[in-house]
Amino acid sequence: MLFVNSSQVNKPGFSAYDIAFAILFCAGVLIEILADIQKALWVKRGRKGDFCTDGVWSVSRHPNYFGEIFQWWCLFAFSYSSSNNGYTDPLWWVGILSPLFTMQILMTMEPTGLCNAEGKNLKRYYEKCPERYSKYRKNTSILFPMIGYKYVPMFLKRTIFFDFEKYEYKPKSESDGSVKNE
């Protein structure tokens, strides 16, 4: 937003592009808020079902993280019309650091985000309801709210859908302490 507010580009008003990305940004905010409210209500009702599948949680395993990441990408795209030279404006490209930094924190930092919510922390679900949770994981995108995720080929899940192998739970074998592949 600093880039947009400090831009020397004079425009008479918002373009269709600006309006589209402002609306998409608001959609990201609403998805994040809705996900947080739905999860809070699920917790308040006593965590029925062992894991949350209410509302947007039925189409994304982490819709709150998706909403946050989506907001930052929309802001980056929104700032394009404030650039002096379009794609050749180096200051506009510096703005890409915000969504990339958000993705870095939410997708790769051990104490937070997906690394904290997935992987070894899934043990509780695989101990309480292994079949149900395994089906939920196979049918539900890790980030992108979508229907039909079970039909997406694994190579796409592992690439553009960010459902990386590092987010899987790998129980240790009781006999030798090694990790079993499931």
Side-chain angles (χ1 to χ4, degrees):
M1 287 315 311
L2 184 61
F3 178 74
V4 172
N5 291 331
S6 64
S7 174
Q8 300 300 317
V9 176
N10 290 322
K11 297 186 315 179
F14 286 120
S15 67
Y17 178 90
D18 294 332
I19 292 168
F21 277 101
I23 290 170
L24 289 172
F25 172 81
C26 290
V29 171
L30 289 175
I31 290 170
E32 184 176 10
I33 291 170
L34 186 61
D36 289 342
I37 290 170
Q38 289 171 341
K39 183 85 172 245
L41 291 172
W42 174 77
V43 168
K44 189 176 181 179
R45 288 190 299 262
R47 297 177 182 258
K48 293 185 182 181
D50 297 317
F51 56 93
C52 186
T53 58
D54 295 352
V56 291
W57 295 88
S58 67
V59 292
S60 172
R61 294 196 318 261
H62 302 286
N64 50 344
Y65 296 154
F66 169 79
E68 178 75 20
I69 291 168
F70 190 64
Q71 289 170 53
W72 285 103
W73 280 109
C74 287
L75 282 176
F76 170 64
F78 180 81
S79 70
Y80 175 77
S81 61
S82 295
S83 65
N84 288 321
N85 303 318
Y87 291 116
T88 62
D89 188 344
L91 285 177
W92 180 71
W93 283 105
V94 169
I96 202 168
L97 295 175
S98 289
L100 291 175
F101 182 67
T102 301
M103 288 181 73
Q104 166 73 17
I105 291 171
L106 292 177
M107 296 181 70
T108 65
M109 303 289 288
E110 287 293 328
T112 188
L114 294 176
C115 290
N116 186 46
E118 297 278 326
K120 63 183 177 190
N121 291 319
L122 297 177
K123 179 180 180 181
R124 64 187 183 271
Y125 302 130
Y126 284 106
E127 288 178 348
K128 284 178 125 177
C129 49
E131 293 84 21
R132 211 167 66 97
Y133 191 73
S134 182
K135 182 179 177 185
Y136 175 70
R137 272 184 68 84
K138 287 177 185 171
N139 296 336
T140 312
S141 170
I142 194 166
L143 277 178
F144 301 98
M146 64 180 290
I147 296 169
Y149 187 70
K150 65 182 173 183
Y151 302 111
V152 175
M154 185 55 78
F155 79 94
L156 291 177
K157 289 179 180 181
R158 294 284 193 237
T159 54
I160 64 172
F161 289 100
F162 304 118
D163 205 342
F164 303 129
E165 191 173 355
K166 72 179 184 175
Y167 299 136
E168 291 183 8
Y169 171 63
K170 295 183 174 132
K172 292 185 179 182
S173 171
E174 291 180 27
S175 61
D176 64 1
S178 66
V179 175
K180 290 191 300 187
N181 282 337
E182 290 193 10

